[in-house]
Amino acid sequence: MKSIKPGRGPSMQGLIGSIAAVLFGIFWMVMAFSITADSPFPAARFFPFFGLVVIAIGVFQGIYHYKNATGKQRMSLLDIVDSEEEPDPLNVRFGSHKQPNKHCPHCGGHVRHDFQFCPRCGKALLP
């Protein structure tokens, strides 16, 4: 059965966006430290540390997108692949053992894995 998986292109674009987020986080920290250095309010000194949050998210997303763009088993929304060729990572992770539907060898109709006869043509299915 074919399933829709994300392509490598969107993941590579996500990697580039993550690098931009890290650079923005660094810029944020530098500018916020320079603005709040002489602030009389002690709470204003925490403002630059929001840049650390942006950097951490950017690094995490960058690693994810890099592995997704270059890995063989990737999570994708755009490429159509066969489930035997590339299993769904969420099913592998969470142990879903639901067997996919199969096709009748006589008429090509969709049948579930536990059917013994095709509901479309009525012929016996091979085991």
Short mmCIF file of all heavy atoms in Angstrom, two decimals, residues 51-95:
data_model
loop_
_atom_site.label_atom_id
_atom_site.label_comp_id
_atom_site.label_asym_id
_atom_site.label_seq_id
_atom_site.Cartn_x
_atom_site.Cartn_y
_atom_site.Cartn_z
N GLY A 51 16.88 34.75 23.84
CA GLY A 51 17.70 34.35 22.69
C GLY A 51 18.21 32.93 22.84
O GLY A 51 18.33 32.20 21.86
N LEU A 52 18.50 32.51 24.08
CA LEU A 52 18.93 31.12 24.31
C LEU A 52 17.83 30.14 23.95
O LEU A 52 18.10 29.05 23.42
CB LEU A 52 19.34 30.93 25.77
CG LEU A 52 20.67 31.53 26.19
CD1 LEU A 52 20.90 31.31 27.68
CD2 LEU A 52 21.80 30.91 25.39
N VAL A 53 16.59 30.51 24.25
CA VAL A 53 15.46 29.64 23.89
C VAL A 53 15.37 29.50 22.37
O VAL A 53 15.19 28.39 21.85
CB VAL A 53 14.15 30.19 24.49
CG1 VAL A 53 12.95 29.40 24.01
CG2 VAL A 53 14.21 30.21 26.00
N VAL A 54 15.49 30.61 21.66
CA VAL A 54 15.43 30.58 20.20
C VAL A 54 16.58 29.75 19.63
O VAL A 54 16.40 28.95 18.71
CB VAL A 54 15.44 32.01 19.62
CG1 VAL A 54 15.56 31.99 18.10
CG2 VAL A 54 14.21 32.76 20.06
N ILE A 55 17.77 29.90 20.21
CA ILE A 55 18.93 29.12 19.76
C ILE A 55 18.71 27.63 20.01
O ILE A 55 18.98 26.79 19.15
CB ILE A 55 20.22 29.62 20.44
CG1 ILE A 55 20.57 31.02 19.93
CG2 ILE A 55 21.37 28.67 20.19
CD1 ILE A 55 21.68 31.70 20.70
N ALA A 56 18.21 27.28 21.19
CA ALA A 56 17.98 25.87 21.52
C ALA A 56 16.96 25.24 20.57
O ALA A 56 17.16 24.13 20.07
CB ALA A 56 17.52 25.72 22.96
N ILE A 57 15.87 25.95 20.31
CA ILE A 57 14.86 25.44 19.38
C ILE A 57 15.45 25.32 17.98
O ILE A 57 15.21 24.33 17.27
CB ILE A 57 13.61 26.35 19.38
CG1 ILE A 57 12.89 26.23 20.72
CG2 ILE A 57 12.67 26.01 18.24
CD1 ILE A 57 11.77 27.23 20.91
N GLY A 58 16.22 26.30 17.56
CA GLY A 58 16.85 26.25 16.24
C GLY A 58 17.82 25.08 16.09
O GLY A 58 17.85 24.42 15.06
N VAL A 59 18.60 24.81 17.13
CA VAL A 59 19.54 23.69 17.08
C VAL A 59 18.77 22.37 17.03
O VAL A 59 19.09 21.48 16.22
CB VAL A 59 20.50 23.73 18.29
CG1 VAL A 59 21.28 22.43 18.43
CG2 VAL A 59 21.47 24.90 18.15
N PHE A 60 17.75 22.21 17.87
CA PHE A 60 16.96 20.98 17.88
C PHE A 60 16.30 20.76 16.52
O PHE A 60 16.37 19.66 15.95
CB PHE A 60 15.89 21.06 18.97
CG PHE A 60 14.95 19.89 18.97
CD1 PHE A 60 15.35 18.67 19.48
CD2 PHE A 60 13.68 20.01 18.44
CE1 PHE A 60 14.50 17.58 19.47
CE2 PHE A 60 12.81 18.94 18.42
CZ PHE A 60 13.23 17.71 18.93
N GLN A 61 15.67 21.80 15.97
CA GLN A 61 15.03 21.67 14.66
C GLN A 61 16.06 21.43 13.55
O GLN A 61 15.79 20.69 12.62
CB GLN A 61 14.22 22.94 14.35
CG GLN A 61 12.96 23.07 15.15
CD GLN A 61 11.93 22.05 14.72
OE1 GLN A 61 11.71 21.80 13.55
NE2 GLN A 61 11.30 21.44 15.70
N GLY A 62 17.21 22.06 13.66
CA GLY A 62 18.25 21.85 12.65
C GLY A 62 18.73 20.41 12.61
O GLY A 62 18.89 19.82 11.54
N ILE A 63 18.94 19.82 13.78
CA ILE A 63 19.36 18.41 13.84
C ILE A 63 18.26 17.52 13.26
O ILE A 63 18.53 16.61 12.46
CB ILE A 63 19.70 18.01 15.28
CG1 ILE A 63 20.97 18.73 15.73
CG2 ILE A 63 19.87 16.50 15.42
CD1 ILE A 63 21.25 18.62 17.21
N TYR A 64 17.01 17.76 13.65
CA TYR A 64 15.89 16.97 13.15
C TYR A 64 15.80 17.05 11.62
O TYR A 64 15.69 16.04 10.93
CB TYR A 64 14.58 17.43 13.78
CG TYR A 64 13.37 16.80 13.16
CD1 TYR A 64 13.00 15.50 13.47
CD2 TYR A 64 12.62 17.50 12.23
CE1 TYR A 64 11.90 14.92 12.88
CE2 TYR A 64 11.52 16.93 11.63
CZ TYR A 64 11.17 15.63 11.96
OH TYR A 64 10.07 15.06 11.37
N HIS A 65 15.83 18.28 11.09
CA HIS A 65 15.68 18.45 9.65
C HIS A 65 16.88 17.90 8.88
O HIS A 65 16.72 17.36 7.78
CB HIS A 65 15.45 19.92 9.29
CG HIS A 65 14.08 20.40 9.63
ND1 HIS A 65 12.95 19.87 9.08
CD2 HIS A 65 13.65 21.36 10.48
CE1 HIS A 65 11.89 20.48 9.55
NE2 HIS A 65 12.29 21.39 10.43
N TYR A 66 18.08 18.00 9.44
CA TYR A 66 19.25 17.44 8.77
C TYR A 66 19.13 15.93 8.67
O TYR A 66 19.36 15.34 7.62
CB TYR A 66 20.52 17.83 9.52
CG TYR A 66 21.75 17.21 8.91
CD1 TYR A 66 22.28 17.71 7.73
CD2 TYR A 66 22.36 16.10 9.49
CE1 TYR A 66 23.40 17.13 7.14
CE2 TYR A 66 23.47 15.51 8.91
CZ TYR A 66 23.99 16.03 7.74
OH TYR A 66 25.08 15.45 7.16
N LYS A 67 18.76 15.28 9.79
CA LYS A 67 18.60 13.83 9.76
C LYS A 67 17.46 13.42 8.84
O LYS A 67 17.53 12.39 8.17
CB LYS A 67 18.36 13.29 11.17
CG LYS A 67 19.61 13.32 12.02
CD LYS A 67 19.36 12.67 13.35
CE LYS A 67 20.65 12.63 14.14
NZ LYS A 67 20.49 11.92 15.40
N ASN A 68 16.40 14.20 8.81
CA ASN A 68 15.26 13.88 7.96
C ASN A 68 15.61 14.08 6.48
O ASN A 68 15.14 13.32 5.64
CB ASN A 68 14.08 14.76 8.34
CG ASN A 68 12.77 14.17 7.91
OD1 ASN A 68 12.62 12.95 7.84
ND2 ASN A 68 11.82 15.01 7.61
N ALA A 69 16.43 15.06 6.17
CA ALA A 69 16.78 15.33 4.78
C ALA A 69 17.81 14.34 4.25
O ALA A 69 17.80 14.02 3.06
CB ALA A 69 17.32 16.75 4.64
N THR A 70 18.67 13.83 5.11
CA THR A 70 19.75 12.97 4.64
C THR A 70 19.54 11.50 4.98
O THR A 70 20.24 10.65 4.45
CB THR A 70 21.10 13.43 5.23
OG1 THR A 70 21.03 13.38 6.66
CG2 THR A 70 21.43 14.84 4.77
N GLY A 71 18.61 11.19 5.87
CA GLY A 71 18.42 9.81 6.31
C GLY A 71 17.59 9.00 5.33
O GLY A 71 16.80 9.52 4.54
N LYS A 72 17.76 7.68 5.39
CA LYS A 72 17.00 6.79 4.53
C LYS A 72 15.56 6.66 5.04
O LYS A 72 14.61 6.72 4.27
CB LYS A 72 17.66 5.42 4.48
CG LYS A 72 16.98 4.46 3.57
CD LYS A 72 17.69 3.15 3.47
CE LYS A 72 16.94 2.22 2.52
NZ LYS A 72 17.57 0.92 2.44
N GLN A 73 15.39 6.46 6.34
CA GLN A 73 14.06 6.35 6.94
C GLN A 73 13.66 7.73 7.43
O GLN A 73 14.00 8.12 8.52
CB GLN A 73 14.08 5.35 8.10
CG GLN A 73 14.50 3.96 7.72
CD GLN A 73 13.46 3.27 6.86
OE1 GLN A 73 12.28 3.52 6.98
NE2 GLN A 73 13.92 2.38 6.00
N ARG A 74 12.92 8.46 6.63
CA ARG A 74 12.57 9.83 6.99
C ARG A 74 11.07 9.99 7.12
O ARG A 74 10.30 9.24 6.56
CB ARG A 74 13.09 10.80 5.94
CG ARG A 74 12.43 10.61 4.59
CD ARG A 74 13.16 11.39 3.51
NE ARG A 74 12.50 11.28 2.26
CZ ARG A 74 12.61 10.27 1.43
NH1 ARG A 74 13.37 9.25 1.75
NH2 ARG A 74 11.96 10.24 0.29
N MET A 75 10.68 10.98 7.88
CA MET A 75 9.27 11.33 7.99
C MET A 75 8.99 12.36 6.91
O MET A 75 9.68 13.34 6.79
CB MET A 75 8.98 11.89 9.38
CG MET A 75 7.63 12.49 9.55
SD MET A 75 6.36 11.30 9.11
CE MET A 75 4.96 12.37 8.99
N SER A 76 7.97 12.12 6.10
CA SER A 76 7.73 12.97 4.97
C SER A 76 6.24 13.10 4.67
O SER A 76 5.47 12.25 5.03
CB SER A 76 8.47 12.40 3.76
OG SER A 76 8.09 13.02 2.60
N LEU A 77 5.86 14.15 3.99
CA LEU A 77 4.47 14.36 3.62
C LEU A 77 4.25 14.42 2.12
O LEU A 77 3.12 14.48 1.67
CB LEU A 77 3.95 15.66 4.24
CG LEU A 77 3.98 15.73 5.75
CD1 LEU A 77 3.58 17.10 6.23
CD2 LEU A 77 3.08 14.67 6.35
N LEU A 78 5.30 14.39 1.32
CA LEU A 78 5.13 14.65 -0.10
C LEU A 78 5.50 13.49 -1.02
O LEU A 78 4.93 13.38 -2.09
CB LEU A 78 5.96 15.88 -0.50
CG LEU A 78 5.65 17.14 0.28
CD1 LEU A 78 6.58 18.26 -0.10
CD2 LEU A 78 4.21 17.56 0.10
N ASP A 79 6.44 12.64 -0.67
CA ASP A 79 6.83 11.53 -1.52
C ASP A 79 5.89 10.36 -1.30
O ASP A 79 5.56 10.03 -0.18
CB ASP A 79 8.26 11.07 -1.21
CG ASP A 79 9.29 12.13 -1.52
OD1 ASP A 79 8.98 13.03 -2.32
OD2 ASP A 79 10.39 12.06 -0.97
N ILE A 80 5.47 9.72 -2.38
CA ILE A 80 4.60 8.55 -2.26
C ILE A 80 5.48 7.32 -2.38
O ILE A 80 6.14 7.11 -3.40
CB ILE A 80 3.50 8.57 -3.34
CG1 ILE A 80 2.65 9.82 -3.16
CG2 ILE A 80 2.67 7.32 -3.27
CD1 ILE A 80 1.59 9.99 -4.21
N VAL A 81 5.51 6.51 -1.32
CA VAL A 81 6.34 5.32 -1.29
C VAL A 81 5.52 4.14 -0.81
O VAL A 81 4.47 4.29 -0.20
CB VAL A 81 7.57 5.52 -0.36
CG1 VAL A 81 8.48 6.61 -0.88
CG2 VAL A 81 7.14 5.80 1.04
N ASP A 82 6.02 2.95 -1.07
CA ASP A 82 5.38 1.73 -0.63
C ASP A 82 5.74 1.49 0.84
O ASP A 82 6.88 1.72 1.25
CB ASP A 82 5.84 0.57 -1.50
CG ASP A 82 4.92 -0.61 -1.43
OD1 ASP A 82 3.90 -0.52 -0.72
OD2 ASP A 82 5.20 -1.61 -2.11
N SER A 83 4.78 1.00 1.63
CA SER A 83 5.04 0.82 3.07
C SER A 83 6.08 -0.26 3.32
O SER A 83 6.75 -0.25 4.34
CB SER A 83 3.74 0.50 3.81
OG SER A 83 3.16 -0.68 3.30
N GLU A 84 6.24 -1.22 2.41
CA GLU A 84 7.30 -2.22 2.58
C GLU A 84 8.66 -1.61 2.24
O GLU A 84 9.69 -2.02 2.75
CB GLU A 84 7.06 -3.44 1.68
CG GLU A 84 5.92 -4.32 2.11
CD GLU A 84 4.57 -3.82 1.63
OE1 GLU A 84 4.52 -3.07 0.61
OE2 GLU A 84 3.56 -4.15 2.27
N GLU A 85 8.65 -0.63 1.37
CA GLU A 85 9.88 0.05 0.95
C GLU A 85 10.39 0.98 2.06
O GLU A 85 11.59 1.06 2.32
CB GLU A 85 9.57 0.84 -0.31
CG GLU A 85 10.72 1.52 -0.97
CD GLU A 85 10.24 2.25 -2.22
OE1 GLU A 85 9.42 1.70 -2.96
OE2 GLU A 85 10.71 3.38 -2.43
N GLU A 86 9.48 1.70 2.69
CA GLU A 86 9.84 2.65 3.74
C GLU A 86 8.69 2.71 4.75
O GLU A 86 7.67 3.33 4.50
CB GLU A 86 10.09 4.02 3.13
CG GLU A 86 10.53 5.05 4.13
CD GLU A 86 10.85 6.37 3.47
OE1 GLU A 86 11.26 6.39 2.31
OE2 GLU A 86 10.67 7.40 4.14
N PRO A 87 8.84 2.07 5.91
CA PRO A 87 7.74 2.05 6.88
C PRO A 87 7.52 3.42 7.51
O PRO A 87 8.41 4.25 7.55
CB PRO A 87 8.21 1.03 7.92
CG PRO A 87 9.69 1.03 7.81
CD PRO A 87 10.00 1.32 6.38
N ASP A 88 6.31 3.60 7.99
CA ASP A 88 5.96 4.84 8.67
C ASP A 88 6.70 4.90 10.00
O ASP A 88 6.57 4.00 10.83
CB ASP A 88 4.46 4.89 8.91
CG ASP A 88 3.99 6.22 9.46
OD1 ASP A 88 4.84 7.07 9.76
OD2 ASP A 88 2.77 6.40 9.58
N PRO A 89 7.51 5.94 10.26
CA PRO A 89 8.29 6.01 11.49
C PRO A 89 7.43 6.02 12.76
O PRO A 89 7.84 5.50 13.79
CB PRO A 89 9.08 7.32 11.37
CG PRO A 89 9.00 7.71 9.96
CD PRO A 89 7.80 7.06 9.37
N LEU A 90 6.23 6.60 12.69
CA LEU A 90 5.38 6.60 13.88
C LEU A 90 4.87 5.21 14.20
O LEU A 90 4.77 4.83 15.37
CB LEU A 90 4.22 7.57 13.69
CG LEU A 90 4.60 9.04 13.58
CD1 LEU A 90 3.37 9.89 13.29
CD2 LEU A 90 5.28 9.51 14.84
N ASN A 91 4.56 4.42 13.17
CA ASN A 91 4.15 3.04 13.42
C ASN A 91 5.30 2.22 13.98
O ASN A 91 5.11 1.37 14.84
CB ASN A 91 3.62 2.39 12.14
CG ASN A 91 2.27 2.92 11.75
OD1 ASN A 91 1.58 3.52 12.55
ND2 ASN A 91 1.89 2.70 10.50
N VAL A 92 6.50 2.47 13.49
CA VAL A 92 7.67 1.76 14.00
C VAL A 92 7.92 2.15 15.46
O VAL A 92 8.18 1.31 16.32
CB VAL A 92 8.91 2.05 13.13
CG1 VAL A 92 10.17 1.50 13.77
CG2 VAL A 92 8.72 1.50 11.73
N ARG A 93 7.81 3.45 15.76
CA ARG A 93 8.09 3.95 17.11
C ARG A 93 7.07 3.47 18.13
O ARG A 93 7.42 3.06 19.22
CB ARG A 93 8.11 5.48 17.08
CG ARG A 93 8.18 6.16 18.43
CD ARG A 93 9.56 5.96 19.04
NE ARG A 93 9.68 6.74 20.23
CZ ARG A 93 9.67 6.23 21.46
NH1 ARG A 93 9.55 4.95 21.65
NH2 ARG A 93 9.80 7.01 22.50
N PHE A 94 5.79 3.52 17.76
CA PHE A 94 4.75 3.20 18.73
C PHE A 94 4.19 1.80 18.56
O PHE A 94 3.21 1.44 19.21
CB PHE A 94 3.63 4.23 18.66
CG PHE A 94 4.10 5.60 19.07
CD1 PHE A 94 4.20 6.61 18.15
CD2 PHE A 94 4.48 5.86 20.38
CE1 PHE A 94 4.65 7.87 18.52
CE2 PHE A 94 4.93 7.10 20.76
CZ PHE A 94 5.01 8.11 19.83
N GLY A 95 4.80 0.98 17.71
CA GLY A 95 4.48 -0.43 17.62
C GLY A 95 3.13 -0.77 17.04
O GLY A 95 2.52 -1.74 17.44
#
